[in-house]
Each structure stands twice: as C-alpha cells, then as structure tokens.
C-alpha cells in the first residue's frame, strides 16, 4: 500500500512553514507543495489538491474557500487551518479533546477545520464546565488573552524581527471594535447562548499565549467553588495526552503565568485560581500559539485522519 500524499497549500506562511517542518522527514507519508512560480496559478493548485489524499490549507479565508471549491475528487480530505469553515455544520471541528468521541469524528471526517489559537484555550476551559451545567449558557463570559507576535503571521514577525524592530510596540491591545472573528467560533463550540466579550492582545515575544476567563461565583450556584470547577476540568481531561490541568496545590503557589512556558510543545495547561473570600475564580490556559494553537493541532488532526 502506497504512502498517503499530503499537500500543503500555503506552506510559506507562519503556520504552513511549521507544518512543513514537522512533516518533511516523515516516512509514513509523501509531502507535496508547489514551487514559488506556481503558487498563484489556479490550474496548478487545482491539479495539486485533486491529486492528493489529504490537503492542509494554510491560506487566508477567501483563498481557503476557493481551494475547497476547486476540489472535484471526492476522495480528497481536507484540514483547513483558516477560519473560513469553523462554524459550518458540515465541517468537523478539529479539537480532539473537546468532547468524548471528537477524536474519532476527526479520524473519520472528510472535512476538518482546525481551531483558532485563542478559541483552543477558551473552548478548552469553558466547554466542559458548560456541558456539566456548572456555568449556564447565558453567563456573561469575558475572555482576555495575550499572544506572541507570531499570531499576526508574517506581519507580526517582520515588525518585531525586521529592520524596524527597535520601534516595535511592547504590547498592543486590539480588537477594540469587539468584533474579532474568533468570537462566533468560541460561542458556538463552547456552548454559550450569547456572545462572549473577547479582548485580545499581542506582546513583544515571538510565541506563546496566556488566556484567562474570570468568573464571579455570586452569579453561579451558591455551593459552587473553585475546587468543583477544577475537578470538572480534571475529569474531562484525565485521559488527554496534550491537555493538562494543573493540580490545585500547584496553582495556589503560582505568582504569575508565563505565556512562553510551553513554547516548542503541542501541550496546553489549564489552571484554576480561586479566592474564597471574594468568591471569584480565574480560569487560565497557557499554550504555544504555533503548537497546540496552530501547526501542532493540524498535525494532531492529520495523524488521526491517517488512521482511517
């Protein structure tokens, strides 16, 4: 049996380069990309995508839609790293640890949409708690996140590592119109009944994310506390290889969260911080935006799909 052919469309962007680097030395698959002169040739791109077994799209949203529309070979399977298809019902959401059976659904899917980096953390924290009924769907959720500048793609890397890097800002809060494209994705896959408030930012470090969700326990069930929330998350991810819940005794002694602590890995660490006196809880997720937040997730999904 011949090795499956994996075509990366858009292998020169931040995510595409990372995926290519992870796959190029593997012997269980054949890797295909287009030379620079053919990357914008619709005919060659169409030929390449229809000749592969699995296509990984690392493209802007509009280009990703065009690539999918060009598929006429029903055997071609797709992993889309853009945000073009993340809320569509006929695409499988590529977060294997999200819910029981999700990894199997990904393994059998024809169309998989890779999660966004921020949604990976937000959904990872919120969905188990909503599913268990500990947080109601109409809770007014706020999400705050800081990502490394590579989250902006080439533009961010150039700004901080190019000739004008000395003038690069140390911190940028953005999405001030409160219409970030990740918000509908978070709402849908976390199971929220209403739109969360999402406030993202970039820091002057290359990669890594700290994402936090504050909770007011006075708005939840009287008996609810941080330990109950932690136990729910710990049960949900007990068998997960890539998502870990920090034990409460370790989170109690933490004084800060380093967004870069898991850089170079495909892991995500979830934590629960609680203040009993004030009945407030802070949920946090730390992970590499280029690892579990992008390329690592795509390769994880690819590996699942290669089993079927």
């Amino acid at each position: 049996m011949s090795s499956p052919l994996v075509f990366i469309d858009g292998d020169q962007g931040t995510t595409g380069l990372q995926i290519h680097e992870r796959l190029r030395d593997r012997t269980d698959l054949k890797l295909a990309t287009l030379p620079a002169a053919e990357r914008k040739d619709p005919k060659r791109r169409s030929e390449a995508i229809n000749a592969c077994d699995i296509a990984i799209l690392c493209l802007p949203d509009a280009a990703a839609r065009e690539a999918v529309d060009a598929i006429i070979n029903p055997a071609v399977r797709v992993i889309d790293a853009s945000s073009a298809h993340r809320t569509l019902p006929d695409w499988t959401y590529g977060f294997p640890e999200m819910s029981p059976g999700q990894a199997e659904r990904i393994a059998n899917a024809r169309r998989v949409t890779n999660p966004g980096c921020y949604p990976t953390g937000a959904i990872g924290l919120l969905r188990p708690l909503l599913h268990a009924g500990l947080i109601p769907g109409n809770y007014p959720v706020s999400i705050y996140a800081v990502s490394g500048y590579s989250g902006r793609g080439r533009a961010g890397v150039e700004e901080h590592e190019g000739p004008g890097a000395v003038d690069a800002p140390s911190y940028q809060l953005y999405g001030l119109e409160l219409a970030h494209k990740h918000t509908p994705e978070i709402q849908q896959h976390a199971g929220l009944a209403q739109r969360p408030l999402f406030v993202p930012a970039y820091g002057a470090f290359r990669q890594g994310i700290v994402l936090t969700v504050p909770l007011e326990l006075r708005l939840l069930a009287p008996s609810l506390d941080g330990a109950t929330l932690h136990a729910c998350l710990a049960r949900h991810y007990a068998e997960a290889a890539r998502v870990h819940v920090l034990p409460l005794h370790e989170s109690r002694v933490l004084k800060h969260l380093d967004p870069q602590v898991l850089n170079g890995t495909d892991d995500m660490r979830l934590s629960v911080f609680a203040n009993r006196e004030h009945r407030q809880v802070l949920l946090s997720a730390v992970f590499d935006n280029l690892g579990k937040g992008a390329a690592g997730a795509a390769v994880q999904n690819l590996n699942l799909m290669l089993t079927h």
Side-chain angles (χ1 to χ4, degrees), residues 124-292:
L125 288 168
L126 290 167
R127 185 181 174 107
L129 302 178
L130 271 84
H131 183 74
L134 299 180
I135 298 177
N138 63 354
Y139 184 89
V141 168
S142 296
I143 302 162
Y144 304 90
V146 182
S147 169
Y149 56 76
S150 61
R152 287 183 60 201
R154 282 187 185 179
V157 173
E158 177 63 25
E159 181 178 37
H160 286 266
E161 298 179 9
V166 67
D167 297 319
S170 59
Y171 183 84
Q172 299 177 81
L173 194 72
Y174 69 104
L176 301 181
E177 73 286 358
L178 303 180
H180 194 284
K181 67 179 182 179
H182 284 170
T183 309
E185 177 186 350
I186 294 171
Q187 179 181 348
Q188 176 173 314
H189 295 292
L192 293 166
Q194 57 194 23
R195 183 182 182 90
L197 176 68
F198 176 46
V199 184
Y202 291 124
F205 52 95
R206 195 176 203 278
Q207 60 200 81
I209 285 179
V210 166
L211 179 144
T212 57
V213 179
L215 298 175
E216 295 282 356
L217 295 185
R218 61 184 172 79
L219 301 179
L220 301 172
S223 60
L224 190 65
D225 59 12
T228 305
L229 296 168
H230 180 274
C232 178
L233 291 172
R235 282 193 304 271
H236 183 87
Y237 295 109
E239 304 300 323
R242 292 298 183 189
V243 182
H244 313 285
V245 180
L246 192 69
L248 277 177
H249 70 271
E250 294 186 32
S251 64
R252 289 191 186 106
V253 299
L254 277 183
K255 299 302 181 184
H256 67 273
L257 289 170
D258 180 357
Q260 303 177 83
V261 71
L262 292 177
N263 281 2
T265 78
D266 295 334
D267 295 340
M268 179 164 67
R269 180 181 299 159
L270 308 181
S271 303
V272 177
F273 305 93
N275 184 300
R276 290 185 179 181
E277 178 185 358
H278 303 303
R279 289 191 50 76
Q280 293 175 324
V281 166
L282 185 70
L283 309 175
S284 74
V286 177
F287 55 105
D288 185 346
N289 60 292
L290 298 180
K292 184 60 173 170

Side-chain angles (χ1 to χ4, degrees), residues 4-40:
L5 178 62
V6 176
F7 169 54
I8 304 176
D9 193 355
D11 65 310
Q12 295 306 301
T14 307
T15 299
L17 284 169
Q18 287 262 332
I19 294 172
H20 188 276
E21 184 176 330
R22 290 164 179 258
L23 299 180
R24 65 186 177 189
D25 295 327
R26 286 180 50 166
T27 58
D28 61 327
L29 54 82
K30 292 182 290 187
L31 195 59
T33 60
L34 288 176
E38 298 178 1
R39 286 182 195 134
K40 295 186 178 181

Side-chain angles (χ1 to χ4, degrees), residues 38-55:
E38 298 178 1
R39 286 182 195 134
K40 295 186 178 181
D41 183 335
K43 183 174 183 295
R44 282 296 294 120
R45 290 179 64 206
S46 178
E47 290 172 349
I49 200 168
N50 281 288
C52 74
D53 294 295
I54 300 178

